Amino acid sequence: MVTLAEVAQHAGVSASTVSYVLSGKRSISSTTRTRVEESIRELGYHPNAGARALASSRSNIIALMVPLRTDMYVPVMMEIAIAVATAARAHGYDVLLLTGEEGPDAVRRVAGSGLADAMILMDVELDDERLPLLRGTDQPSVLIGLPADTAGLTCVDLDFRATGALCVEHLALLGHRDIAVIGEAAAVYERHTGFAERTLDGLRSRASELGVRLLHRPCEGGYDAMAATLARVLDERPGTTGFVVQNESAVEPLLALLRQQGRAVPEDVSVVAVCPEQVAVQASVRLTSVAIPAQEMGRSAVEQLVAKLDGRGSDDVVLIAPELTVRASTGPAPAATPA
Amino acid sequence: MVTLAEVAQHAGVSASTVSYVLSGKRSISSTTRTRVEESIRELGYHPNAGARALASSRSNIIALMVPLRTDMYVPVMMEIAIAVATAARAHGYDVLLLTGEEGPDAVRRVAGSGLADAMILMDVELDDERLPLLRGTDQPSVLIGLPADTAGLTCVDLDFRATGALCVEHLALLGHRDIAVIGEAAAVYERHTGFAERTLDGLRSRASELGVRLLHRPCEGGYDAMAATLARVLDERPGTTGFVVQNESAVEPLLALLRQQGRAVPEDVSVVAVCPEQVAVQASVRLTSVAIPAQEMGRSAVEQLVAKLDGRGSDDVVLIAPELTVRASTGPAPAATPA
DNA sequence: AATCGGAGTCGAAGCGCTTCGACAGCCTAT
DNA sequence: ATAGGCTGTCGAAGCGCTTCGACTCCGATT
């Protein structure tokens, strides 16, 4: 393993000079610089991460805590994770992958050991037990998701409230008066995951403003669960003509079931999804949807974090504005059936 | 930030004693040990990762290189990644997430900087450009996936050859004579990703042994692509009664299309999938399938790696035996239609 | 002509930990 | 009784890097 000292010797300069060439923290004559750079290349030198971290108390690592639950909105998680890793590299950081398994201890461990300079938390619950720790440490952090109390925290998320409102609005403008919301699995609501509750909030308040009737039902993924949920919904509100779906793995089952029951989309029934772009495009009916901008969320979280690490941070809540793309799954409400 | 020295002082012992309590590398009297442990708890001490890495030249970090392409078999990737992270923690390692983006340079960087003690590579191509580097370094590594030449490498993968064979076999035993294989997107084959080609190998050789006719067609995910592919298949081989699908995002579209064309599953047509358990169970027809054991692959890779790091490693290829679970999507071939 | 300041370089002092050799007790085998 | 071997502890020497102060030139300022 090549060391700084060897590079220095090879280039005929002192170790500190090499260090300054690397960091650019002091001016170096261009002749020396090129000589050193050549030596580095020639010897295939890579600075030792541990030594660097020790001396500078900067690890150049960002910790990313992803939820352990792999059963939910997985592709989104993955996309965010990859976006985070990519964006972090672009700023010279590596990413340490922590699972939610360790829980709050992970925060202590990472902050205490100097393993990472900062952390990004995903899957934040409304009243997350990691938050007090985060507030108590001076380690910069960014949340992807919105807890109930954001004081002193930096958060990045899609504006799910606005998302909910947007969906209702779209359907209402098309004349739908009875809308059913197919939500995430009940467990998600029980855990008080912010995004689910906030979407619901947005849906409900806009619905009442517009005088639209709303029925919300959580739903596990999969065909059978969706079938049961749909049956209950149609039983309770036979006049339902609009659906808002916020559960990737319920989308295709819903479409299949509607088709099977002879309800045409979008002629008889309209469907709006809150899901990744890809799901909306690949579905059997191209779905009108609000995309979950996973990439942007990941990138933006890193940007916020890097800003903080560079001392130009702020405790902001960045809410990404939702965009509704109209595709083939929504249309005017059918003429009201006689009462 | 609490240091070893402070703990030592608090406990009234020398720094080295604290270190030995932590590492267990020398015997310590139980009285001293408990005293030190108490001080550690009381002060909330966490060893500094950088210092530890520098002094011991061990970072206790495993690097995980995941493919950048987020468009393919994503949930499997994620599940593997999480399994790796979890298993690694159980052995005292953290996981550094690298995207494929950097390519071979990432290998150099990680190996050169001592950032990680070892690495796990996913999405290995048959003739992967990272392999020479891996062979050239003394950094332990494990591949998830199988390259063409495994000499000097440790690999973990599902036995996709056997998987292919198993699928054909199952259909052949049920009397199917004309089988169509719906594969991954063409790009996957063009990249010479091992698993896709090896599945095909297994399918073909077993098919010819059993005298079954096989038609293989790559297919992008999604409804439209599947529709086009299915049309071509049925045009070319109208007598097709068995399908093997190795493409998660083609599964549901295929089922929907068959239904739509009045071909009942499993009465008229049988479908076997190679996909994660969850997909098979949640599909609109519960699918007979060979599961992709993501968890086990991740866990096993870590196990191999840790063994290597502890000096009891071997350059093995661990092929996980496929298991075919019969569900509701396969049945006896219908009576042959008159010629 | 004397002074000042910036540019460029060096040496040395750590950063917090591991680990090696040394040593003081104590027990056991001769 | 004495040598030998354990056990438990300590001190000191790094690990490879960053960074601070100091020093040397050299051109620009008065």
Side-chain angles (χ1 to χ4, degrees):
Chain A
M1 183 147 293
V2 191
T3 69
L4 228 210
E6 291 172 318
V7 173
Q9 189 173 4
H10 185 270
V13 298
S14 75
S16 45
T17 300
V18 177
S19 178
Y20 287 124
V21 167
L22 252 31
S23 69
K25 294 196 177 172
R26 285 203 184 173
S27 49
I28 298 284
S29 70
S30 64
T31 53
T32 307
R33 186 201 313 292
T34 45
R35 198 143 38 84
V36 169
E37 278 164 354
E38 194 126 316
S39 296
I40 289 179
R41 207 167 315 118
E42 221 166 291
L43 300 179
Y45 168 71
H46 285 271
N48 181 90
R52 183 168 263 193
L54 177 56
S56 64
S57 38
R58 281 288 222 121
S59 63
N60 286 303
I61 288 181
I62 292 174
L64 175 68
M65 257 180 103
V66 305
L68 192 58
R69 303 169 256 281
T70 58
D71 54 332
M72 235 183 44
Y73 48 103
V74 172
V76 180
M77 298 275 109
M78 188 67 182
E79 213 177 326
I80 293 179
I82 297 221
V84 165
T86 307
R89 276 308 305 149
H91 289 277
Y93 288 90
D94 274 297
V95 170
L96 198 73
L97 185 67
L98 303 174
T99 64
E101 195 190 31
E102 275 183 283
D105 285 346
V107 176
R108 280 195 207 88
R109 193 168 61 88
V110 168
S113 67
L115 234 185
D117 296 333
M119 49 193 313
I120 295 178
L121 304 198
M122 299 177 66
D123 195 41
V124 179
E125 302 180 14
L126 278 183
D127 186 17
D128 204 291
E129 51 178 346
R130 296 166 297 187
L131 301 187
L133 284 170
L134 241 41
R135 291 203 175 89
T137 184
D138 53 349
Q139 178 150 79
S141 59
V142 170
L143 313 187
I144 296 185
L146 223 51
D149 175 14
T150 63
L153 300 172
T154 302
C155 311
V156 171
D157 207 354
L158 174 62
D159 188 340
F160 279 100
R161 248 182 159 288
T163 299
L166 204 53
C167 292
V168 170
E169 220 166 279
H170 176 67
L171 289 175
L173 277 177
L174 288 170
H176 298 272
R177 287 285 158 259
D178 254 305
I179 297 178
V181 178
I182 309 298
E184 297 279 0
V188 176
Y189 294 93
E190 279 153 23
R191 268 172 37 223
H192 298 294
T193 312
F195 81 93
E197 305 208 346
R198 276 160 36 232
T199 308
L200 200 50
D201 251 31
L203 286 162
R204 286 205 174 121
S205 60
R206 200 86 185 93
S208 82
E209 282 170 33
L210 297 173
V212 169
R213 299 211 302 161
L214 210 65
L215 180 68
H216 169 252
R217 286 285 172 270
C219 183
E220 312 288 323
Y223 203 83
D224 297 345
M226 187 64 242
T229 304
L230 181 60
R232 283 198 300 136
V233 166
L234 291 179
D235 185 48
E236 201 166 329
R237 294 273 174 83
T240 302
T241 58
F243 285 86
V244 176
V245 190
Q246 180 174 210
N247 182 340
E248 282 166 45
S249 47
V251 166
E252 198 55 50
L254 174 61
L255 294 175
L257 286 161
L258 289 173
R259 204 177 296 130
Q260 190 178 308
Q261 300 183 359
R263 299 175 196 252
V265 174
E267 291 79 4
D268 303 328
V269 171
S270 286
V271 176
V272 179
V274 179
C275 66
E277 198 86 345
Q278 209 203 352
V279 172
V281 173
Q282 287 201 350
S284 54
V285 178
R286 292 170 47 85
L287 292 167
T288 294
S289 73
V290 174
I292 297 178
Q295 301 252 45
E296 190 178 348
M297 286 160 74
R299 204 186 33 67
S300 169
V302 170
E303 232 96 272
Q304 293 287 319
L305 208 48
V306 170
K308 277 192 171 187
L309 287 166
D310 291 354
R312 21 172 209 97
S314 50
D315 287 343
D316 270 343
V317 173
V318 178
L319 286 186
I320 300 173
E323 284 177 34
L324 187 142
T325 306
V326 179
R327 296 201 184 82
S329 68
T330 52
T337 45
Chain B
M1 183 147 294
V2 191
T3 70
L4 227 212
E6 292 172 318
V7 173
Q9 188 173 7
H10 185 272
V13 297
S14 76
S16 46
T17 299
V18 177
S19 178
Y20 286 124
V21 167
L22 250 31
S23 70
K25 293 196 177 171
R26 284 203 184 172
S27 49
I28 298 284
S29 69
S30 63
T31 52
T32 308
R33 185 200 314 292
T34 44
R35 196 142 41 85
V36 169
E37 278 164 354
E38 194 126 317
S39 296
I40 290 179
R41 208 166 315 118
E42 220 166 292
L43 301 179
Y45 169 70
H46 285 270
N48 182 91
R52 184 168 263 192
L54 177 56
S56 64
S57 38
R58 282 287 222 121
S59 63
N60 286 304
I61 289 182
I62 292 174
L64 175 68
M65 256 179 104
V66 305
L68 193 58
R69 302 169 257 281
T70 57
D71 54 334
M72 234 183 42
Y73 47 102
V74 172
V76 181
M77 299 275 107
M78 188 67 181
E79 213 178 325
I80 294 180
I82 297 221
V84 165
T86 307
R89 275 308 304 148
H91 289 278
Y93 287 90
D94 274 298
V95 170
L96 198 73
L97 185 68
L98 304 175
T99 64
E101 195 190 30
E102 274 182 284
D105 285 346
V107 176
R108 280 195 206 89
R109 193 167 62 86
V110 168
S113 67
L115 234 186
D117 296 332
M119 49 193 311
I120 296 178
L121 304 198
M122 300 178 64
D123 194 41
V124 179
E125 301 179 14
L126 279 182
D127 186 19
D128 203 291
E129 51 178 346
R130 296 167 297 187
L131 301 187
L133 283 170
L134 242 40
R135 290 202 176 89
T137 185
D138 53 348
Q139 178 150 79
S141 60
V142 170
L143 312 186
I144 296 185
L146 222 51
D149 174 13
T150 64
L153 300 172
T154 302
C155 310
V156 171
D157 207 354
L158 174 63
D159 188 341
F160 279 99
R161 252 186 155 284
T163 299
L166 203 53
C167 292
V168 170
E169 219 167 278
H170 175 68
L171 290 175
L173 276 177
L174 288 169
H176 298 272
R177 287 286 157 260
D178 254 305
I179 297 178
V181 179
I182 309 300
E184 297 278 2
V188 175
Y189 293 94
E190 277 153 25
R191 268 171 38 224
H192 298 294
T193 312
F195 81 94
E197 304 208 346
R198 277 157 38 229
T199 308
L200 199 50
D201 251 33
L203 285 161
R204 287 206 173 118
S205 61
R206 199 87 185 93
S208 83
E209 281 171 35
L210 296 173
V212 169
R213 299 213 301 163
L214 209 65
L215 181 67
H216 169 251
R217 286 286 172 270
C219 183
E220 312 288 323
Y223 202 82
D224 297 345
M226 187 64 241
T229 305
L230 181 59
R232 283 198 301 135
V233 166
L234 292 179
D235 185 48
E236 200 166 331
R237 294 272 174 85
T240 301
T241 60
F243 285 86
V244 176
V245 190
Q246 180 175 209
N247 182 339
E248 283 165 44
S249 46
V251 166
E252 198 55 49
L254 176 60
L255 294 175
L257 286 161
L258 289 172
R259 204 177 297 131
Q260 191 177 308
Q261 299 184 359
R263 300 178 195 249
V265 174
E267 291 78 7
D268 303 329
V269 171
S270 286
V271 176
V272 180
V274 180
C275 67
E277 197 86 346
Q278 208 202 351
V279 173
V281 173
Q282 288 201 349
S284 54
V285 179
R286 291 171 47 85
L287 293 167
T288 294
S289 74
V290 174
I292 296 178
Q295 301 254 45
E296 190 177 348
M297 287 161 73
R299 205 186 32 67
S300 168
V302 170
E303 233 97 272
Q304 293 286 317
L305 207 49
V306 170
K308 278 192 170 187
L309 286 166
D310 291 353
R312 23 174 206 93
S314 49
D315 287 345
D316 271 342
V317 173
V318 178
L319 285 186
I320 299 172
E323 283 177 34
L324 187 142
T325 305
V326 179
R327 297 201 184 82
S329 67
T330 51
T337 45

